[in-house]
Structure formats: structure tokens, C-alpha cells
Amino acid sequence: MSDNAVRLRFTNTAILTILLVLTLTGLYGLMWPMPGWMFDLHRISAWGLVALLPWKFLIAAVSLKRRTSRFFTKALSILLAVWAIFVFALALYWTWQAGPEQLWWYTAAISWHWYLALSLLVPFGIHVWQKWPRPRRNDLFSRRAALKVMGVGAASFALWGLSEAISAFRADPSRPIRSTGSRESGSFTGLNFPVTMMVGEGKTRLEPANWVLQVHGPAVRRPLSLSYDAVMSRKAVERIATLDCTNGWFTTQVWRGLSLEDLMLEAGVKQSHKAVILRAVSGYSAYLLPQEARDTLLGTHVGDQVFDHWHGFPLRAVVPSRRGWQWVKWLVEIEII
């Protein structure tokens, strides 16, 4: 068994493993803002790829010289490499605050990072299917393999520590950074925090006289239909919660509105319900687990201010356990299944 073959299988298997960790932690981070160690694992894993680059470059150089390799396969390999480096560069650009936060089409660099990272999954899957060698037991479970893993791990931690030091040095004290990488914006200032939305959202302006909130579904014994006046006349509760947007900012506010748990009790929701669907007037929706729904507020105010249209008037979800894109605005329907 040649050293080149062993190096090839170990390196590619290590890269594949790290990319799986990056994918799982990245997807987790798009849904939930906590726990912080998940984001550190994501960043450390990314530096693991950097530690493996010297070996991967040697493998790629040998592969590209082979005349038997198809042009499409070579082109895809090169494209994937450039693409992955660019995705990593965007993360460093954001973390080290190397330039303006907003890049193309007024979208934050961190958003482009995960847009492009997700778009890598399909071509990378094709590449793995075509090129990845099947590892052997001795490639992974041997003294030499253990030393390689420890070396890559040590390099990953060292590079991550250096990156964190650079990030701390360049940080703006007036804008604290959360473990998610988001920067503080407009906390405890009422409506003075950023507005982001999905494509097509916000086109319909809801008027209090015509707006109705429907609470229904297979798990509801007593469906509810609440007007704006009915919502505003009910007992309001306040909650301090942080909206952490995947567009790279977070804001901590005092939110006021109705407890979703209280509304579910009034509607006679069955204990066996599996999920709660929050739906906007546009049809945009978010699915919450029962525990998450119990902690959710149906917000009417932020601070002492009623929401304006772009912040979700007349009703928006305040879901402390989720990232901002699931704090559904312009709520018209709650379905419980």
C-alpha cells in the first residue's frame, strides 16, 4: 500500500467528515441561536479544513496531471475549490470586520457566506460520488492516523485562537458580538432596530378594522377568531428577548403582547399536539415545537411603541429560541397540529 494512497484516503475522509460537521452545525445555527459552543465547533472545524490544505493541494496536483481524468471532473474540482475558499474568505471578512458589512445587493457578507455555503452541497455531493475513495480501516484506525488527527486538531485550535484574537482586536466596543457572529443593533430603542424580510414579504398592509387572527387546527377543540380590538383588550405580558437575525445583527428589546401558551389554553389545544404553525398574510410560515410555542409571545409592541408596518403590525411572533427569520411578522393564522 503506497503512502500516497493512504494520504489520499485519510485526507479526503477527514475533509468529508469536517464538511459534514460544518453542514450540520451551520444548519443548526440558521435555526437556533444557542448554544454558543455549537458555533465555536463550526469555526474550529473550518480551520481544520485549512490545516488539511497542504495535503489536499498535493493530492489535487497529482489528480489534475492525469490524462485519464475527464475535463468535467477537473473543472468541477477546481470550481469547488475556488468556491469553498471564497465562502471561507467571506467568513473571515465578516469576523475580522475587514470592510463594509453590506456587500452585493445590500446583503451582509455573513448572509452571502451561508447562501454560497448551502449552494455548495449539491456540486460537492456530485464530486464525492465521482471521486471520493473508500477509506480502509488502517487508514483511519492506526497510530499514524491518530497522530495525524491530533496534528490537525492542534492546528485547528491554534488557528481558531489566532482568528479570535484578531477578531477581538478589531471589534467595535459599541457593537458587541454574540456567539452567533451577529452584531448588536438598536437594543432597547423601540422600533429603531433593522428590518429584514423574505422575498415578497411586506407587500400587503394590514388594517386593524379588517384584520383577524385565526387559531385553529386538528389539535384545537375551540377555534378562535380574534379581531385587533379583541387582541388589544386582553391582558398583555412583557418579555425581554433577543432577536438574532441571520443577516448579521441582533437586538435585545422589551416586547409586549399575548402569551401564545395562554391563547392555546383558551383554544383547548390537546396535550398530544405535535407542532404549532405560525402563518403570515403572505403565506410565509414557521413551525414550532410545543416547548418553543409555550415560550412564544404574540407581540403587539416593542418597548412602548406599537409595531409599524415593516416591523410586523399588527402582530408578530417573538420566539426567543429561534433565529429572527422565524419571528413571523404580519401574523394572520396559528394552526396547531
Side-chain angles (χ1 to χ4, degrees):
M1 184 187 304
S2 69
D3 289 341
N4 285 338
V6 173
R7 182 174 64 234
L8 168 65
R9 290 192 294 269
F10 173 84
T11 303
N12 282 351
T13 302
I15 290 174
L16 179 59
T17 302
I18 290 174
L19 287 174
L20 287 174
V21 172
L22 285 171
T23 301
L24 293 174
T25 54
L27 291 174
Y28 182 98
L30 289 177
M31 296 285 290
W32 295 280
M34 294 296 283
W37 66 265
M38 188 74 72
F39 295 94
D40 287 337
L41 176 61
H42 185 80
R43 297 177 184 114
I44 293 169
S45 298
W47 284 110
L49 287 181
V50 175
L52 288 166
L53 279 180
W55 289 337
K56 185 60 180 176
F57 281 145
L58 289 174
I59 294 168
V62 172
S63 178
L64 291 174
K65 288 179 180 179
R66 292 175 184 159
R67 294 183 179 181
T68 55
S69 297
R70 297 179 180 178
F71 174 79
F72 172 77
T73 303
K74 290 182 178 180
L76 179 60
S77 299
I78 294 171
L79 176 62
L80 284 174
V82 173
W83 201 333
I85 291 170
F86 186 58
V87 167
F88 183 77
L90 283 171
L92 288 186
Y93 178 95
W94 177 265
T95 303
W96 293 351
Q97 301 186 46
E101 292 184 8
Q102 305 295 317
L103 295 178
W104 313 282
W105 297 290
Y106 304 100
T107 302
I110 193 64
S111 294
W112 281 112
H113 166 74
W114 62 263
Y115 289 153
L116 295 176
L118 290 176
S119 66
L120 262 174
L121 295 180
V122 172
F124 178 73
I126 296 172
H127 181 69
V128 170
W129 175 62
Q130 288 188 331
K131 298 284 290 182
W132 231 259
R134 180 176 296 179
R136 299 176 183 177
R137 182 177 179 83
N138 289 338
D139 299 338
L140 305 175
F141 302 99
S142 65
R143 183 173 177 274
R144 180 180 295 184
L147 291 173
K148 289 179 181 178
V149 170
M150 287 189 289
V152 171
S156 303
F157 272 96
L159 291 170
W160 170 68
L162 177 61
S163 176
E164 291 294 295
I166 294 172
S167 177
F169 176 77
R170 294 189 55 82
D172 180 354
S174 66
R175 298 192 65 195
I177 301 176
R178 294 192 91 198
S179 60
T180 60
S182 296
R183 298 184 182 123
E184 191 277 332
S185 184
S187 291
F188 299 109
T189 59
L191 294 172
N192 294 323
F193 64 89
V195 171
T196 56
M197 66 195 71
M198 304 299 288
V199 176
E201 289 278 283
K203 294 181 179 180
T204 303
R205 288 183 176 269
L206 299 172
E207 299 297 333
N210 302 321
W211 175 82
V212 174
L213 175 67
Q214 302 286 349
V215 182
H216 67 97
V220 173
R221 295 187 179 93
R222 297 182 294 275
L224 301 176
S225 182
L226 303 177
S227 67
Y228 182 72
D229 289 340
V231 168
M232 297 299 288
S233 65
R234 292 177 177 235
K235 178 184 177 181
V237 296
E238 287 189 345
R239 184 169 300 165
I240 296 176
T242 298
L243 190 166
D244 193 324
C245 181
T246 54
N247 205 36
W249 57 268
F250 76 89
T251 188
T252 302
Q253 303 286 352
V254 179
W255 310 88
R256 188 160 86 234
L258 305 181
S259 164
L260 177 54
E261 183 178 24
D262 289 347
L263 208 60
M264 290 167 63
L265 288 172
E266 183 179 341
V269 173
K270 300 175 184 177
Q271 291 293 324
S272 59
H273 73 281
K274 302 299 183 184
V276 176
I277 306 172
L278 307 176
R279 192 167 287 120
V281 67
S282 65
Y284 177 77
S285 59
Y287 290 72
L288 305 180
L289 298 175
Q291 180 57 49
E292 293 173 319
R294 285 193 286 271
D295 294 334
T296 295
L297 188 73
L298 303 178
T300 57
H301 294 68
V302 57
D304 291 324
Q305 296 177 287
V306 176
F307 291 129
D308 61 20
H309 170 69
W310 295 111
H311 285 88
F313 180 84
L315 199 68
R316 77 172 297 167
V318 176
V319 192
S321 62
R322 295 292 187 95
R323 300 298 295 270
W325 62 277
Q326 292 178 302
W327 291 40
V328 180
K329 296 187 282 188
W330 307 293
L331 272 170
V332 295
E333 185 181 354
I334 298 172
E335 183 179 1
I336 304 168
I337 59 177

